[in-house]
Structure formats: structure tokens, C-alpha cells
């Protein structure tokens, strides 16, 4: 959520910045609600003061033995008027809060202009694209020939966009996850974290999934309502909700492996073939909580940590800076890492690393105590996929295939494969 003070003092600036995202901000409605809020709040305070003054007069009249009924009637009338004013103020504030919750973050000034992914800026490419003496297959055909990826079983057990892995490919995904966790904990200083895979509405509201993206979530029929996590970003970042962190404990760095669940309500018809866009998938998430002055540097660091995994696996990739129109709702700045998939002949996203600045922290009331002022201030939050395990599995399969459709295990994964060096058909 953006700082309300920006709307009161720099409304034109806010409207201009939101226009970069092509976000239709109704500045007139906001100004009208703000004017109503001020008027009703002033009236409410005046009524409170007058009621307090009359109540004091009642006490003085009682002490003198005077008739207090007329004064009590006046206080009763003021009390009724105060309740009405407080209800109206609460309604206006609720409207403003709902409006604010639907407004995206202000973009970092380094984010390039553009309407969609076509305007994303390539920072650099890493690695050499593999050259095959045969036509490269995609992961769907490879998995089918190996008899170790089965979408029919997934559909039978659940529905479309679910998959069953078995044999060497199931172990390969587990090995990929283990490599990621070991690298981020042993080399990058993250603390491995295990979290609930169900979260409440407050947690999703804190990181920005609610109310805007409720249709993309799987909701459990429970009391209170719970949701399956769309990413470990949600439960991990909520660790610091309503907390004041001592400066000596910053930065906080968490890594978490979890399943992720997305209904993909807004992605109808996209990537229906294969494992690219599933309702359930595995991901290793890296999260940092930092003091504001360190967030830009932390963003580069966190993105670099995700890149290390791709380099260890020797997977060609490119680093992209997302343009204004392609940057996510809560993010101020995002880098996407896109891995080369020979079966598609294209780069595809495998990690999205974002700096949210204080946008999530304001919703979460996640703060740190500034030693210079001694006062609590909002932290900055960052996260990224380090990496998406299913998409990494796809990339390994397609980049390490041979002419017979076998998958050769990358050197970095051999310690986790129990002696298996090549995955062949069952």
C-alpha cells in the first residue's frame, strides 16, 4: 500500500507515476473522499469535545446539588450525533482503504517505459546455447518417451494442469530443490524456513494478493477462511507482520521450499501444453527484509543468488529488467531471469526477483527501529524464485537431452542422484 501522505500532498505526482503503469487512478474520487473524511473527522472531534465538556458540567452540577437532567438530555443528544458521525467516518475510511488496496506500487525511476513484455530491457545473456545434431524435443515429448511425466494421471487424480512425475524425473526434481536449498543456505547466508501452506486473508492482504488477485487463489471452505499459498513469499514475508525488528538483526534472509497453488484464472489459454503453467508446482523462494537504504543493493544481490543456480547447472539464460507495463502490482522494480528452452526455441521465465520497497511493509506493519531516531520505521521487502523447480526441471531436460531422448544429469546434481547419471525410459 502506498503512503497516504503522498495522496494528500503530492496527488499529481501519484497520478503521473500510476499513469506509467497505464493504471486508471480516479484522482477526482479520491479527492472527494478525502474532503469528506476531513469534514466528518472535524465534526466528530468537535462532538467529542462538546460531549466531554457537557459531561464535565454534569459532574459540577451534581456537586452543587443542581438538576442535571437538562444537561444529561443534551449529552444523550450529542452521543447519538457522535455515533452517527463516527459511523459515517468509518464508512468513508473503509471506502478509501478499499481504494488504496487496489492501487499498485510506484515504480522505481530506473524502470523503463513500455506497455508489455515486448518493452522489457535485456541486461545481459549468460552461457552458450546448446547445438544439437538432431531436432530438440520439448519436455512433454521427452517425458512421454521416458514414461516419467504423466498428465493423464494428474487429470484423473485432480484435473487438468496437474501432473505426476515418477522414476528418475521425480528424483531429478528433488535433486534440483536440494541443490537450491544447499546453495542458498551454505553459500548465500539464508536461513532455511518451513512454513504453513495454508494462510489467512490477512497474510495475503499483507503481501498484496488480496483483494486484487482473489480469483487466482484456491480458497478452502473453512472458518476462518484459508487459502492455499500461491508462493512461499506470502507466509515467509508475513513472519515479520506486526513486528519491530532490531537493526542488529537486519537483514533477515529466508529460503523456503514449498508447493505453490494457483488457479490461473487470468491465464486462460496460455501455456496449456506441458508443465510451464500448472495449478500446483514446486518452488524455492528467497526473501530478504532490509533497512530502506540497503534495498537497491539487496535487490541486485538476491537476483545474483538466483543466477548462481542457473550457472551451476550451466543453463543459458538472460536477465531482463521489466518495463512499467509488465511489472507486478506490488513490485517497484523486477528482474526476470529467463532460461533457454531448446524444445521451444525460446527464453522462458524461471525466476522473478522484485524489490517492493515499503509497499508490502506498510500493509504488514513490518518495521525496524532506526538507531538514529529511536523510532520504528517501515522495512523494505524483497523476494525472488531461487528457482522455480518445475521450470528448472524442464530446462535441464531440454538442455541435457540426447538423440535417443535420454536426459544426462548435470554435474552439479550428481551428488544428489544416488549414482544415476543418465535418465532412460522405464
Amino acid at each position: 500500500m502506498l503512503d497516504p501522505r503522498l495522496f494528500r500532498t503530492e496527488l499529481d505526482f501519484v497520478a503521473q507515476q500510476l499513469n506509467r503503469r497505464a493504471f486508471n487512478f480516479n484522482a477526482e474520487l479520491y479527492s472527494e473522499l478525502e474532503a469528506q473524511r476531513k469534514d466528518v473527522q472535524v465534526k466528530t472531534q468537535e462532538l467529542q469535545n462538546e460531549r466531554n465538556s457537557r459531561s464535565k458540567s454534569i459532574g459540577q452540577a451534581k456537586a452543587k446539588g443542581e438538576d442535571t437532567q437538562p444537561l444529561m438530555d443534551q449529552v444523550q443528544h450529542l452521543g447519538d450525533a457522535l455515533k452517527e458521525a463516527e459511523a459515517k467516518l468509518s464508512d468513508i475510511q473503509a471506502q478509501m482503504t478499499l481504494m488504496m488496496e487496489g492501487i499498485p506500487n510506484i515504480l522505481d525511476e530506473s524502470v523503463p517505459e513500455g506497455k508489455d513484455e515486448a518493452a522489457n530491457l535485456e541486461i545481459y545473456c549468460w552461457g552458450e546455447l546448446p547445438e544439437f545434431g538432431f531436432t530438440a524435443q520439448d519436455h512433454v515429448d521427452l517425458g512421454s518417451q521416458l514414461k516419467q511425466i504423466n498428465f493423464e494421471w494428474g487429470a484423473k487424480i485432480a484435473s487438468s494442469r496437474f501432473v505426476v512425475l515418477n522414476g528418475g524425473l521425480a528424483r531429478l526434481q528433488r535433486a534440483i530443490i536440494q541443490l537450491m536449498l544447499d546453495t542458498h543456505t551454505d553459500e548465500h547466508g539464508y536461513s532455511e524456513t518451513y512454513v504453513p501452506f495454508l494462510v489467512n486473508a490477512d497474510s495475503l492482504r499483507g503481501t498484496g494478493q488480496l483483494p486484487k488477485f482473489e480469483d487466482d487463489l484456491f480458497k478452502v471452505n473453512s472458518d476462518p477462511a484459508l487459502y492455499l499459498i500461491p508462493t512461499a513469499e506470502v507466509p515467509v514475508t508475513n513472519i515479520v507482520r506486526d513486528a519491530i525488528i532490531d537493526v542488529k538483526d537486519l537483514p533477515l534472509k529466508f529460503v523456503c521450499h514449498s508447493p505453490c497453488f494457483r488457479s490461473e484464472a487470468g491465464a486462460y489459454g496460455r501455456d496449456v501444453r506441458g508443465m510451464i503453467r500448472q495449478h500446483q508446482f514446486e518452488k524455492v523462494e528467497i526473501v530478504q527484509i532490509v533497512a530502506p537504504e540497503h534495498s537497491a543493493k539487496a535487490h541486485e544481490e538476491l537476483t545474483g543468488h538466483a543466477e548462481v543456480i542457473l550457472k551451476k547447472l550451466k543453463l543459458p539464460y538472460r536477465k531482463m529488467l521489466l518495463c512499467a507495463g509488465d511489472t507486478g502490482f506490488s513490485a517497484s522494480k523486477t528482474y526476470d531471469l529467463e532460461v533457454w528452452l531448446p524444445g521451444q526455441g525460446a527464453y522462458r521465465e524461471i525466476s522473478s526477483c522484485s524489490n517492493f520497497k515499503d509497499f508490502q511493509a506498510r500493509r504488514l506493519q513490518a518495521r525496524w527501529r532506526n538507531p538514529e531516531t529511536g523510532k520504528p520505521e517501515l522495512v523494505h521487502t524483497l523476494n525472488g524464485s531461487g528457482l522455480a523447480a518445475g521450470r528448472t526441471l524442464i530446462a535441464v531436460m531440454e538442455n541435457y537431452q540426447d538423440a535417443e531422448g535420454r536426459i544426462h544429469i548435470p554435474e552439479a546434481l550428481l551428488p544428489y542422484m544416488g549414482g544415476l547419471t543418465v535418465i532412460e525410459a522405464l
Side-chain angles (χ1 to χ4, degrees):
M1 186 180 295
L2 296 177
D3 188 343
R5 290 174 296 183
L6 279 176
F7 291 84
R8 295 169 190 157
T9 61
E10 301 181 57
L11 190 60
D12 289 343
F13 167 78
V14 172
Q16 180 185 17
Q17 291 300 309
L18 294 177
N19 188 55
R20 293 185 64 194
R21 290 178 173 269
F23 180 80
N24 185 21
F25 172 57
N26 193 335
E28 183 178 344
L29 175 59
Y30 182 88
S31 297
E32 181 181 332
L33 288 171
E34 175 63 11
Q36 291 178 18
R37 183 198 65 80
K38 286 181 179 179
D39 290 343
V40 176
Q41 189 163 330
V42 168
K43 181 180 179 180
T44 301
Q45 290 171 344
E46 289 175 347
L47 288 168
Q48 287 172 336
N49 292 335
E50 188 173 356
R51 186 183 65 172
N52 292 340
S53 177
R54 296 294 176 89
S55 296
K56 186 177 180 181
S57 298
I58 291 173
Q60 293 171 344
K62 282 183 178 179
K64 296 177 181 179
E66 298 175 353
D67 182 11
T68 60
Q69 190 59 48
L71 290 172
M72 292 176 69
D73 291 342
Q74 293 174 359
V75 169
Q76 177 64 41
H77 172 72
L78 288 170
D80 293 341
L82 179 58
K83 286 180 181 179
E84 183 180 343
E86 288 175 337
K88 187 174 182 180
L89 179 61
S90 178
D91 180 64
I92 294 170
Q93 290 173 331
Q95 291 182 60
M96 295 184 75
T97 297
L98 185 62
M99 186 178 185
M100 293 284 286
E101 286 181 341
I103 295 173
N105 201 356
I106 288 177
L107 297 167
D108 188 85
E109 60 183 13
S110 64
V111 172
E113 302 299 327
K115 294 182 179 180
D116 54 38
E117 61 184 17
N120 292 344
L121 178 64
E122 181 181 298
I123 306 300
Y124 55 74
C125 289
W126 183 92
E128 296 184 5
L129 303 187
E131 295 183 2
F132 301 111
F134 55 89
T135 301
Q137 300 185 74
D138 70 8
H139 70 283
V140 179
D141 292 334
L142 287 167
S144 176
Q145 292 172 24
L146 293 169
K147 299 180 181 178
Q148 295 174 42
I149 291 181
N150 198 308
F151 296 99
E152 289 75 20
W153 287 356
K156 178 174 67 174
I157 295 167
S159 73
S160 61
R161 295 201 177 185
F162 287 89
V163 67
V164 173
L165 302 177
N166 64 310
L169 290 184
R171 178 154 192 161
L172 180 58
Q173 177 169 268
R174 175 160 58 92
I176 287 167
I177 292 165
Q178 194 63 57
L179 172 68
M180 293 175 188
L181 290 172
D182 287 351
T183 300
H184 294 315
T185 54
D186 298 343
E187 299 177 21
H188 301 152
Y190 290 83
S191 174
E192 185 172 351
T193 307
Y194 177 82
V195 295
F197 302 155
L198 288 164
V199 294
N200 55 37
D202 286 343
S203 294
L204 288 158
R205 193 170 290 110
T207 47
Q209 279 79 16
L210 286 180
K212 185 173 177 62
F213 301 107
E214 184 162 11
D215 288 345
D216 288 325
L217 301 170
F218 284 109
K219 187 175 183 179
V220 178
N221 186 18
S222 61
D223 186 19
L226 295 173
Y227 299 80
L228 289 167
I229 61 170
T231 164
E233 165 200 344
V234 178
V236 174
T237 309
N238 270 273
I239 289 173
V240 297
R241 173 156 49 104
D242 296 325
I244 300 176
I245 306 162
D246 195 296
V247 65
K248 66 179 175 56
D249 295 324
L250 293 176
L252 294 175
K253 298 169 66 175
F254 302 105
V255 60
C256 181
H257 161 240
S258 77
C260 306
F261 305 90
R262 299 181 186 177
S263 72
E264 300 288 0
Y268 181 77
R270 295 181 59 191
D271 297 315
V272 294
R273 177 176 167 82
M275 291 174 55
I276 290 290
R277 195 175 296 275
Q278 293 278 286
H279 290 314
Q280 175 186 313
F281 57 95
E282 305 287 307
K283 189 149 66 79
V284 171
E285 192 78 2
I286 47 180
V287 174
Q288 292 199 28
I289 312 295
V290 304
E293 62 265 30
H294 300 310
S295 71
K297 181 179 178 181
H299 189 204
E300 301 296 329
E301 176 191 75
L302 180 144
T303 307
H305 292 160
E307 292 180 69
V308 166
I309 305 299
L310 291 165
K311 290 176 179 177
K312 284 193 172 191
L313 295 173
K314 298 180 181 178
L315 294 171
Y317 72 92
R318 64 182 184 180
K319 179 180 178 180
M320 306 291 291
L321 175 57
L322 300 195
C323 72
D326 202 32
T327 301
F329 176 82
S330 298
S332 176
K333 180 178 180 179
T334 298
Y335 290 118
D336 270 6
L337 302 179
E338 298 180 348
V339 70
W340 176 253
L341 298 183
Q344 295 190 21
Y347 286 100
R348 298 302 304 267
E349 178 202 334
I350 197 168
S351 175
S352 190
C353 300
S354 298
N355 185 354
F356 303 95
K357 297 189 176 179
D358 63 6
F359 187 84
Q360 290 181 328
R362 182 168 287 103
R363 290 170 172 244
L364 296 162
Q365 280 303 288
R367 295 165 291 172
W368 69 299
R369 194 172 297 280
N370 189 328
E372 295 183 4
T373 64
K375 296 179 179 180
E377 299 177 10
L378 295 172
V379 296
H380 281 194
T381 62
L382 308 95
N383 69 58
S385 305
L387 307 161
R391 293 193 179 192
T392 307
L393 173 66
I394 291 169
V396 169
M397 290 176 64
E398 295 193 11
N399 281 277
Y400 283 86
Q401 64 180 291
D402 65 20
E404 285 73 43
R406 302 176 302 174
I407 310 300
H408 295 259
I409 305 301
E411 183 179 357
L413 295 175
L414 290 174
Y416 305 100
M417 292 298 295
L420 186 66
T421 59
V422 179
I423 298 176
E424 302 182 84
L426 294 177

